[in-house]
Amino acid sequence: DYWIPVRPESDASFFLGACKMMLDEGLYDADYCRSYTDMPLLVRTDTLQYLDPRDVFKDYQFPDFSKSYSGMVQTLTPAQVARLGGPMVWDLNKDQAVPIHRELVGWHFKKRGIDPALTGTYRVILLNGREVDVMPIFQMYQVHLQDYDLDTVHQICRSPKDLIVRWARDVGTVKPSAIHNGEGVCHYFHMTQNGRAAALTHIYTGNIGKFGSGCHTWS
């Protein structure tokens, strides 16, 4: 057991600093990020919106989910599926952007034989002839997290540097890992950002959806 003092409402900086350390030291689960998270999904650098397959492929049609989980259990209609849109990833096997859909998760995704890029910037030609640069969400976080080096994080959250490092390495190596937070922090003005940063540490390390893992809020 060890206790880490954190300046009130600065939790997000602590967690994002830990995320940067996990990336820098290779303490993330790349296979989990590819198969179970949004990390490989492509984002346009001009609009910061997901790359939409309807803008890339002529007359693109979304899959028919009427006989699968999305339609039968989640009761999504074709109109709702179209409104939600569909993501794309950069397939390293084909060296091009390819569409995927909401049910390609875990072994379903691996079964397709797609090798999605997590890093890099790629150029895609749209139907209107425009060329746009896209990058995976994982790459965008790599850029964002450059602001959260150890010295900066320490200045923001006032936590001892050695304990920030210790916790980041523990979460990156101890499996399973879980975060539990309570009613008090739920009332922080920016608790949504704090909670997302906390969850990101466990998304990177594959500690979501497994016994003994997760990021849980208690009220």
Side-chain angles (χ1 to χ4, degrees), residues 22 29 87 137 172:
M22 292 172 189
D29 188 334
I137 291 176

Side-chain angles (χ1 to χ4, degrees), residues 37-102:
T37 79
D38 64 358
M39 289 293 169
L41 303 189
L42 294 176
V43 175
R44 292 173 53 164
T45 60
D46 59 339
T47 62
L48 298 183
Q49 301 294 315
Y50 290 124
L51 180 64
D52 192 320
R54 290 169 292 189
D55 293 332
V56 180
F57 300 105
K58 186 177 180 180
D59 300 324
Y60 178 79
Q61 297 292 321
F62 293 109
D64 179 9
F65 295 120
S66 61
K67 300 282 195 301
S68 63
Y69 188 87
S70 296
M72 298 180 69
V73 179
Q74 296 181 322
T75 66
L76 286 178
T77 65
Q80 290 171 324
V81 171
R83 181 166 59 85
L84 289 171
M88 299 186 71
V89 299
W90 189 268
D91 187 356
L92 294 172
N93 290 328
K94 295 182 177 180
D95 196 30
Q96 68 180 50
V98 299
I100 61 173
H101 59 76
R102 57 186 290 110

Side-chain angles (χ1 to χ4, degrees), residues 43-215:
V43 175
R44 292 173 53 164
T45 60
D46 59 339
T47 62
L48 298 183
Q49 301 294 315
Y50 290 124
L51 180 64
D52 192 320
R54 290 169 292 189
D55 293 332
V56 180
F57 300 105
K58 186 177 180 180
D59 300 324
Y60 178 79
Q61 297 292 321
F62 293 109
D64 179 9
F65 295 120
S66 61
K67 300 282 195 301
S68 63
Y69 188 87
S70 296
M72 298 180 69
V73 179
Q74 296 181 322
T75 66
L76 286 178
T77 65
Q80 290 171 324
V81 171
R83 181 166 59 85
L84 289 171
M88 299 186 71
V89 299
W90 189 268
D91 187 356
L92 294 172
N93 290 328
K94 295 182 177 180
D95 196 30
Q96 68 180 50
V98 299
I100 61 173
H101 59 76
R102 57 186 290 110
E103 294 187 1
L104 289 185
V105 178
W107 70 270
H108 298 284
F109 185 83
K110 296 176 181 178
K111 196 175 177 181
R112 284 296 179 96
I114 299 172
D115 184 13
L118 289 177
T119 59
T121 302
Y122 306 92
R123 182 150 295 186
V124 174
I125 301 176
L126 305 180
L127 286 173
N128 60 12
R130 280 192 60 198
E131 294 186 6
V132 297
D133 287 336
V134 296
M135 61 174 62
I137 291 176
F138 188 94
Q139 176 69 39
M140 299 190 80
Y141 270 115
Q142 282 195 323
V143 175
H144 177 59
L145 292 173
Q146 294 307 306
D147 291 336
Y148 292 91
D149 59 273
L150 186 58
D151 288 336
T152 301
V153 169
H154 170 68
Q155 290 175 2
I156 297 172
C157 70
R158 311 291 171 83
S159 301
K161 292 182 183 179
D162 64 311
L163 293 182
I164 299 173
V165 172
R166 179 179 178 181
W167 188 83
R169 289 175 176 167
D170 279 350
V171 174
T173 55
V174 177
K175 303 294 180 73
S177 172
I179 292 177
H180 299 263
N181 60 62
E183 176 72 18
V185 295
C186 295
H187 293 277
Y188 284 165
F189 189 75
H190 292 293
M191 185 54 200
T192 298
Q193 287 87 333
N194 288 337
R196 288 173 65 89
L200 185 59
T201 63
H202 281 51
I203 290 170
Y204 273 144
T205 56
N207 278 301
I208 300 289
K210 302 173 183 177
F211 289 114
S213 69
C215 190

